[in-house]
Amino acid sequence: MAVCGSRTHIGHFAGNMTARRLQCSLSVKSCTVSYNKRGFQNVSKANINLGNKGRPNNFMLYQYFSTNVAKRRTNLNPHKGFGLEGFRNLSHECFYSGTASASNVSSDNSKGTEQVVDVVNSSEAKIPLQLNSGSFYLPHPAKAKTGGEDAHFICTLTPAIGVADGVGGWADLGIDAGLYARELMSHSLSAIQDEPKGSVDLIRVLEKAYVRTKAKGSCTACIVALTEGGLYAVNLGDSGFMLVRNGCAAFKSPSQQHGFNFPYQLDCNNAGDSPSSAMVFKITALPGDVLIVGTDGLFDNLYDEDISGVVFQAMEDGLGPQMTAQRIAELAQLRAMDHIKSSPFSDGAREAGFDYHGGKLDDITVVVSYITE
């Protein structure tokens, strides 16, 4: 959600459209967070059961940090045209990175709404599962020196993934919203580790992280955990997740926005959206499924079929989740730098009445998890 200052091919729109709008007026001299106990009954819910089979191999957990992109759009070879900087083999149980819909499934942003979609007998999924995860992060080129405004974590002890995207509009006030996103993810990871074994409550996790985060700024947030009942997720804003099954997009979380380019967001002044406004999802998972969690830098630039196509080819090539995440992120950045080709962001802009073409240059965080027995 970084501010883009490199392109101005915008028609009848004054200002920089790719800079995310803040939730409200800001007080930059002081930033306090007060906790008000909120009723969890106000959470939008969707319980989704999805089907199909297959299982990939188990892979180690890796992460790269890289700011280079392929010189040619067709170059998807992960070893060509990229600087593989900061490679590390992650053997510890939890990892935190500070530098860091299917057409027949619908959901809305109204509170207190529960939607159930059954497309497979849930008894198929009564199999102990695990996540094998890897991530890849490409900050906005203009934000590379400061690490960008995205943050994420991967926890393996309590299988969970989180991503957050700092709202770039704070940069106009001299505030790095990436600090808020990184702190929120750090506290989310700690809160997950404090949850009772076998009964993680992600709304409670998000509430705790929100209350404990004291940095100035605001961000979106998406957290997904693997439980005995399948995937359990909360999403607030325009980050999100997608489930790929047998090479096809089986489900994608809807974006929460007050208006175009104006996402739901948690904010340091306690004047933004509350954690209880997050959408909650419970999805049956099966061996062979692939979970993709990412910030809007991913989903603004790649269509569902683009992402699922990369996943399918990566698994055909026998790649692990980290390398798959790298391929997806690099393709997203290539599309972001394309001034002509249509993108989900340009489609949304035109629907909102703006003359905008091409992708949207931004921070891009991609976490890929192979779901295995």
Side-chain angles (χ1 to χ4, degrees), residues 74-368:
T74 55
N75 180 11
L76 288 180
N77 186 329
H79 302 294
K80 293 181 181 179
F82 302 98
L84 305 181
E85 303 169 2
F87 172 83
R88 42 176 141 172
N89 183 345
L90 304 173
S91 59
H92 41 72
E93 293 178 334
C94 291
F95 168 72
Y96 162 67
S97 169
T99 56
S101 100
S103 60
N104 63 334
V105 177
S106 64
S107 187
D108 59 31
N109 296 334
S110 60
K111 297 181 181 180
T113 301
E114 180 171 339
Q115 300 197 17
V116 180
V117 180
D118 292 309
V119 296
V120 68
N121 189 327
S122 60
S123 63
E124 282 191 54
K126 301 301 181 182
I127 303 171
L129 301 173
Q130 64 180 1
L131 295 181
N132 294 311
S133 304
S135 65
F136 197 79
Y137 177 44
L138 289 170
H140 187 298
K143 305 277 185 176
K145 290 183 178 180
T146 60
E149 294 163 334
D150 282 3
H152 71 281
F153 71 82
I154 297 173
C155 185
T156 56
L157 183 61
T158 301
I161 296 158
V163 300
D165 185 355
V167 176
W170 287 87
D172 295 336
L173 301 173
I175 295 171
D176 178 5
L179 297 176
Y180 186 91
R182 291 190 281 274
E183 190 173 332
L184 184 80
M185 287 293 95
S186 179
H187 289 310
S188 296
L189 176 57
S190 298
I192 284 176
Q193 293 173 302
D194 292 339
E195 285 290 288
K197 187 175 181 179
S199 61
V200 61
D201 183 332
L202 293 183
I203 286 292
R204 181 168 59 208
V205 166
L206 193 58
E207 287 272 5
K208 288 181 178 178
Y210 171 61
V211 171
R212 295 170 182 172
T213 300
K214 305 300 182 183
K216 295 178 181 178
S218 61
C219 71
T220 66
C222 180
I223 304 174
V224 185
L226 180 64
T227 68
E228 291 183 359
L231 293 174
Y232 171 24
V234 295
N235 185 54
L236 187 141
D238 57 3
S239 293
F241 68 96
M242 176 176 167
L243 190 69
V244 173
R245 180 168 293 161
N246 284 350
C248 297
F251 178 74
K252 180 182 176 183
S253 60
S255 175
Q256 279 187 310
Q257 299 196 63
H258 296 286
F260 175 69
N261 211 31
F262 184 14
Y264 281 39
Q265 56 198 260
L266 302 175
D267 134 310
C268 68
N269 291 317
N270 199 32
D273 299 290
S274 70
S276 63
S277 296
M279 301 187 75
V280 177
F281 305 88
K282 293 184 178 179
I283 305 173
T284 299
L286 295 174
D289 287 351
V290 180
L291 172 68
I292 301 98
V293 184
T295 54
D296 69 312
L298 167 63
F299 297 113
D300 278 344
N301 288 297
L302 295 184
Y303 295 102
D304 295 357
E305 57 268 27
D306 295 325
I307 299 172
S308 57
V310 175
V311 169
F312 178 81
Q313 188 60 55
M315 298 189 74
E316 285 284 299
D317 294 343
L319 301 182
Q322 185 280 324
M323 196 61 73
T324 303
Q326 179 179 335
R327 283 191 173 188
I328 294 171
E330 288 166 344
L331 180 59
Q333 190 173 73
L334 286 174
R335 293 286 177 81
M337 300 171 72
D338 190 324
H339 297 196
I340 300 173
K341 188 177 180 67
S342 293
S343 67
F345 184 81
S346 66
D347 291 346
R350 286 193 293 271
E351 289 176 5
F354 304 120
D355 182 15
Y356 186 93
H357 304 278
K360 174 186 169 230
L361 199 58
D362 203 349
D363 298 325
I364 300 169
T365 296
V366 181
V367 184
V368 171

